[in-house]
Amino acid sequence: MCGIAGYVGYGDTLSILLQLLIELQHRGQEASGIAVVTKDGRLYVVSGKGLVSEIFSYSHIDIPRENVFGGIGHVRYATSGGYMDAVTQPIAIGDRIKIAIAFNGTIANYKLLANEYRLKVSSDTEFFANAIYIETMENKGDVVEALKVLAEKIIGGYSIVVLTNEPRIIFAKDPRGFRPLSYVYNGDELYIASETSALETVVGGVWREVEPGEIIVFDGTSIERTAARKIYDPTPCVFEYVYFSRIDSVFNGVSIYTSRIRMGIELAKMDNIEADVVIPVPDSGRAAAIGYSKASGIPIEEGIYANKYLGRGFITPPHIRDYVSRLKYGFIKSVVDGKKVVLVDDSIVRGTTMRSIVLRLREAGASEVHVRIASPPFRYPCFMGIDVASRQELLAWSSMTLEDIRKSIGADSILYNTVDALTRAVGLCSLCTACFTGRYPFNGYTASDLENMFSR
Ligand code: SF4
């Protein structure tokens, strides 16, 4: 999961991109970057490891403010290529034609494709940039054609923005539409962002979502829409609704907040526990906890404080996850002491955070802790944009029973939503739910096939 942004217009490109990226910071906190191109085709890139406010806090940033055509930006959460040595984005490449790309997703078969293109690369980001460049040169400088060729070869999920020194901006989604991407075009200016909430906050106006497989080009005067040669039934990532996206965003026309409320309602409909208080795991469990409380009649209270300066737990790099999960939360004894607690969270992926929270609720005096999870057990890895590429990382890997999971996190009971309930809560008939079911939307590829492909 990463955040991408773009802007073309008469405004201050650097300032607008910074605003969009700050609004997307929840999608990645490891690295941030911006590329801009001037009207006469000079391309500038500034990126580094850290938050947007850290990388762009200096008074002098080597990015022009005058004569600018537009730019793109990226906030990074590593999905491949490791954490410490990961490539920051945007990544720029080329000589006569220069391009910069920023993308959100994972290319599961990038090692196989890198062999086909005779490329030596260390990540899917490097592969994608190089492959787009090669295909652009093979197709008479046409980035759109390059994206069409690659859309047919790639197994994975992506949303992408490309900036060229022609100058043009091109943005697209993979043909199954796994990741969000939206834009506002008002005739003079174009704003692009991974999530609608960033657009609403920074620019307002009427946004549109990019369709699966859609490729849109803006040269500063007119916008052109085209599409990948083959479009599949859309399979947007259900985890965007469960966790990734902000609650004030809309994805495929569905409000993230409303879907999370409905996840809590669905969960409560299956439950019959008697308890004193519903406590959300902040912040991502809150909306589901509200839904659960409404449907169950058990009052909801804040019992846990989350230190926002430590970022989002799931996207914390692995080498610091253990101590971050301990430092991140504070517990309100007056709310939980002597109470039977229903603890609601969006998901359990690795289990590190949940184990620590259950233990510390008991230390704060909770007499019982009943864990309720808005999504089903996360049993299979993802190869379409999140950092779980091996089953061994998952608490609920495919052979683990619910009782094993309950014991592992130390809860009195555990209940998950079912895949059907989750699908009902989102309200779309076609979704990717592969991390819960093991059914990947790629012509019968299994988790093992994709694991082998990814690690080959
Ligand atoms: S496997 Fe899960 S996290 Fe990955 S795209 Fe599908 S639903 Fe999203």
Side-chain angles (χ1 to χ4, degrees), residues 3-20:
I4 58 176
Y7 173 72
V8 175
Y10 49 76
D12 180 348
T13 298
L14 178 60
S15 162
I16 290 165
L17 286 172
L18 287 175
Q19 292 171 50
L20 290 169

PDB file of all heavy atoms in Angstrom, residues 3-20:
ATOM      1  N   GLY A   3       0.695   5.728  -1.355  1.00  0.00           N
ATOM      2  CA  GLY A   3      -0.192   6.776  -1.834  1.00  0.00           C
ATOM      3  C   GLY A   3       0.471   7.463  -3.019  1.00  0.00           C
ATOM      4  O   GLY A   3       1.688   7.683  -3.012  1.00  0.00           O
ATOM      5  N   ILE A   4      -0.328   7.789  -4.049  1.00  0.00           N
ATOM      6  CA  ILE A   4       0.223   8.507  -5.194  1.00  0.00           C
ATOM      7  C   ILE A   4      -0.632   9.746  -5.466  1.00  0.00           C
ATOM      8  O   ILE A   4      -1.817   9.786  -5.120  1.00  0.00           O
ATOM      9  CB  ILE A   4       0.323   7.622  -6.462  1.00  0.00           C
ATOM     10  CG1 ILE A   4      -1.042   7.048  -6.865  1.00  0.00           C
ATOM     11  CG2 ILE A   4       1.320   6.499  -6.241  1.00  0.00           C
ATOM     12  CD1 ILE A   4      -0.991   6.258  -8.180  1.00  0.00           C
ATOM     13  N   ALA A   5       0.026  10.747  -6.069  1.00  0.00           N
ATOM     14  CA  ALA A   5      -0.672  12.011  -6.330  1.00  0.00           C
ATOM     15  C   ALA A   5      -0.125  12.625  -7.603  1.00  0.00           C
ATOM     16  O   ALA A   5       0.982  12.276  -8.055  1.00  0.00           O
ATOM     17  CB  ALA A   5      -0.471  12.971  -5.163  1.00  0.00           C
ATOM     18  N   GLY A   6      -0.886  13.543  -8.175  1.00  0.00           N
ATOM     19  CA  GLY A   6      -0.420  14.269  -9.354  1.00  0.00           C
ATOM     20  C   GLY A   6      -1.132  15.601  -9.453  1.00  0.00           C
ATOM     21  O   GLY A   6      -2.229  15.785  -8.903  1.00  0.00           O
ATOM     22  N   TYR A   7      -0.488  16.529 -10.136  1.00  0.00           N
ATOM     23  CA  TYR A   7      -1.124  17.837 -10.359  1.00  0.00           C
ATOM     24  C   TYR A   7      -0.589  18.443 -11.644  1.00  0.00           C
ATOM     25  O   TYR A   7       0.625  18.406 -11.905  1.00  0.00           O
ATOM     26  CB  TYR A   7      -0.849  18.795  -9.188  1.00  0.00           C
ATOM     27  CG  TYR A   7      -1.353  20.194  -9.494  1.00  0.00           C
ATOM     28  CD1 TYR A   7      -2.721  20.464  -9.505  1.00  0.00           C
ATOM     29  CD2 TYR A   7      -0.468  21.206  -9.836  1.00  0.00           C
ATOM     30  CE1 TYR A   7      -3.196  21.719  -9.835  1.00  0.00           C
ATOM     31  CE2 TYR A   7      -0.928  22.475 -10.165  1.00  0.00           C
ATOM     32  CZ  TYR A   7      -2.304  22.724 -10.165  1.00  0.00           C
ATOM     33  OH  TYR A   7      -2.770  23.963 -10.499  1.00  0.00           O
ATOM     34  N   VAL A   8      -1.476  19.022 -12.452  1.00  0.00           N
ATOM     35  CA  VAL A   8      -1.089  19.844 -13.599  1.00  0.00           C
ATOM     36  C   VAL A   8      -2.009  21.062 -13.602  1.00  0.00           C
ATOM     37  O   VAL A   8      -3.236  20.914 -13.514  1.00  0.00           O
ATOM     38  CB  VAL A   8      -1.238  19.074 -14.936  1.00  0.00           C
ATOM     39  CG1 VAL A   8      -0.955  20.006 -16.119  1.00  0.00           C
ATOM     40  CG2 VAL A   8      -0.303  17.877 -14.981  1.00  0.00           C
ATOM     41  N   GLY A   9      -1.429  22.260 -13.673  1.00  0.00           N
ATOM     42  CA  GLY A   9      -2.259  23.457 -13.698  1.00  0.00           C
ATOM     43  C   GLY A   9      -1.436  24.692 -13.443  1.00  0.00           C
ATOM     44  O   GLY A   9      -0.204  24.644 -13.449  1.00  0.00           O
ATOM     45  N   TYR A  10      -2.136  25.794 -13.219  1.00  0.00           N
ATOM     46  CA  TYR A  10      -1.434  27.080 -13.045  1.00  0.00           C
ATOM     47  C   TYR A  10      -1.097  27.377 -11.582  1.00  0.00           C
ATOM     48  O   TYR A  10      -0.525  28.408 -11.267  1.00  0.00           O
ATOM     49  CB  TYR A  10      -2.273  28.219 -13.634  1.00  0.00           C
ATOM     50  CG  TYR A  10      -3.715  28.186 -13.183  1.00  0.00           C
ATOM     51  CD1 TYR A  10      -4.077  28.592 -11.902  1.00  0.00           C
ATOM     52  CD2 TYR A  10      -4.708  27.720 -14.050  1.00  0.00           C
ATOM     53  CE1 TYR A  10      -5.389  28.540 -11.477  1.00  0.00           C
ATOM     54  CE2 TYR A  10      -6.027  27.663 -13.621  1.00  0.00           C
ATOM     55  CZ  TYR A  10      -6.366  28.071 -12.339  1.00  0.00           C
ATOM     56  OH  TYR A  10      -7.661  28.005 -11.915  1.00  0.00           O
ATOM     57  N   GLY A  11      -1.478  26.471 -10.672  1.00  0.00           N
ATOM     58  CA  GLY A  11      -1.170  26.682  -9.254  1.00  0.00           C
ATOM     59  C   GLY A  11       0.279  26.339  -8.945  1.00  0.00           C
ATOM     60  O   GLY A  11       1.056  25.968  -9.820  1.00  0.00           O
ATOM     61  N   ASP A  12       0.630  26.477  -7.663  1.00  0.00           N
ATOM     62  CA  ASP A  12       1.985  26.144  -7.207  1.00  0.00           C
ATOM     63  C   ASP A  12       2.087  24.619  -7.065  1.00  0.00           C
ATOM     64  O   ASP A  12       1.616  24.036  -6.081  1.00  0.00           O
ATOM     65  CB  ASP A  12       2.238  26.848  -5.866  1.00  0.00           C
ATOM     66  CG  ASP A  12       3.634  26.552  -5.323  1.00  0.00           C
ATOM     67  OD1 ASP A  12       4.306  25.638  -5.848  1.00  0.00           O
ATOM     68  OD2 ASP A  12       4.034  27.234  -4.369  1.00  0.00           O
ATOM     69  N   THR A  13       2.689  23.969  -8.068  1.00  0.00           N
ATOM     70  CA  THR A  13       2.698  22.497  -8.131  1.00  0.00           C
ATOM     71  C   THR A  13       3.278  21.889  -6.859  1.00  0.00           C
ATOM     72  O   THR A  13       2.711  20.935  -6.300  1.00  0.00           O
ATOM     73  CB  THR A  13       3.510  22.029  -9.359  1.00  0.00           C
ATOM     74  OG1 THR A  13       2.853  22.522 -10.523  1.00  0.00           O
ATOM     75  CG2 THR A  13       3.601  20.523  -9.441  1.00  0.00           C
ATOM     76  N   LEU A  14       4.412  22.400  -6.402  1.00  0.00           N
ATOM     77  CA  LEU A  14       5.054  21.811  -5.222  1.00  0.00           C
ATOM     78  C   LEU A  14       4.122  21.870  -4.018  1.00  0.00           C
ATOM     79  O   LEU A  14       3.917  20.876  -3.318  1.00  0.00           O
ATOM     80  CB  LEU A  14       6.372  22.545  -4.916  1.00  0.00           C
ATOM     81  CG  LEU A  14       7.115  22.042  -3.681  1.00  0.00           C
ATOM     82  CD1 LEU A  14       7.480  20.574  -3.809  1.00  0.00           C
ATOM     83  CD2 LEU A  14       8.369  22.886  -3.432  1.00  0.00           C
ATOM     84  N   SER A  15       3.544  23.034  -3.809  1.00  0.00           N
ATOM     85  CA  SER A  15       2.670  23.205  -2.645  1.00  0.00           C
ATOM     86  C   SER A  15       1.444  22.285  -2.739  1.00  0.00           C
ATOM     87  O   SER A  15       1.051  21.643  -1.750  1.00  0.00           O
ATOM     88  CB  SER A  15       2.250  24.672  -2.572  1.00  0.00           C
ATOM     89  OG  SER A  15       1.137  24.804  -1.759  1.00  0.00           O
ATOM     90  N   ILE A  16       0.849  22.161  -3.919  1.00  0.00           N
ATOM     91  CA  ILE A  16      -0.355  21.328  -4.075  1.00  0.00           C
ATOM     92  C   ILE A  16      -0.011  19.851  -3.883  1.00  0.00           C
ATOM     93  O   ILE A  16      -0.731  19.110  -3.210  1.00  0.00           O
ATOM     94  CB  ILE A  16      -1.017  21.595  -5.440  1.00  0.00           C
ATOM     95  CG1 ILE A  16      -1.626  23.001  -5.420  1.00  0.00           C
ATOM     96  CG2 ILE A  16      -2.085  20.550  -5.767  1.00  0.00           C
ATOM     97  CD1 ILE A  16      -2.001  23.551  -6.773  1.00  0.00           C
ATOM     98  N   LEU A  17       1.131  19.429  -4.452  1.00  0.00           N
ATOM     99  CA  LEU A  17       1.522  18.026  -4.268  1.00  0.00           C
ATOM    100  C   LEU A  17       1.794  17.721  -2.797  1.00  0.00           C
ATOM    101  O   LEU A  17       1.432  16.647  -2.293  1.00  0.00           O
ATOM    102  CB  LEU A  17       2.757  17.697  -5.115  1.00  0.00           C
ATOM    103  CG  LEU A  17       2.503  17.573  -6.616  1.00  0.00           C
ATOM    104  CD1 LEU A  17       3.817  17.442  -7.368  1.00  0.00           C
ATOM    105  CD2 LEU A  17       1.597  16.373  -6.929  1.00  0.00           C
ATOM    106  N   LEU A  18       2.431  18.658  -2.103  1.00  0.00           N
ATOM    107  CA  LEU A  18       2.699  18.434  -0.674  1.00  0.00           C
ATOM    108  C   LEU A  18       1.390  18.274   0.094  1.00  0.00           C
ATOM    109  O   LEU A  18       1.260  17.402   0.950  1.00  0.00           O
ATOM    110  CB  LEU A  18       3.522  19.590  -0.088  1.00  0.00           C
ATOM    111  CG  LEU A  18       4.988  19.622  -0.524  1.00  0.00           C
ATOM    112  CD1 LEU A  18       5.689  20.865   0.013  1.00  0.00           C
ATOM    113  CD2 LEU A  18       5.717  18.370  -0.061  1.00  0.00           C
ATOM    114  N   GLN A  19       0.408  19.117  -0.232  1.00  0.00           N
ATOM    115  CA  GLN A  19      -0.884  19.010   0.462  1.00  0.00           C
ATOM    116  C   GLN A  19      -1.537  17.644   0.191  1.00  0.00           C
ATOM    117  O   GLN A  19      -2.040  16.990   1.106  1.00  0.00           O
ATOM    118  CB  GLN A  19      -1.821  20.121  -0.001  1.00  0.00           C
ATOM    119  CG  GLN A  19      -1.387  21.510   0.437  1.00  0.00           C
ATOM    120  CD  GLN A  19      -2.243  22.571  -0.247  1.00  0.00           C
ATOM    121  OE1 GLN A  19      -3.462  22.502  -0.233  1.00  0.00           O
ATOM    122  NE2 GLN A  19      -1.601  23.538  -0.866  1.00  0.00           N
ATOM    123  N   LEU A  20      -1.509  17.221  -1.076  1.00  0.00           N
ATOM    124  CA  LEU A  20      -2.119  15.927  -1.411  1.00  0.00           C
ATOM    125  C   LEU A  20      -1.403  14.788  -0.691  1.00  0.00           C
ATOM    126  O   LEU A  20      -2.029  13.872  -0.145  1.00  0.00           O
ATOM    127  CB  LEU A  20      -2.086  15.693  -2.925  1.00  0.00           C
ATOM    128  CG  LEU A  20      -3.000  16.579  -3.772  1.00  0.00           C
ATOM    129  CD1 LEU A  20      -2.685  16.432  -5.255  1.00  0.00           C
ATOM    130  CD2 LEU A  20      -4.476  16.243  -3.529  1.00  0.00           C
TER     131      LEU A  20
END
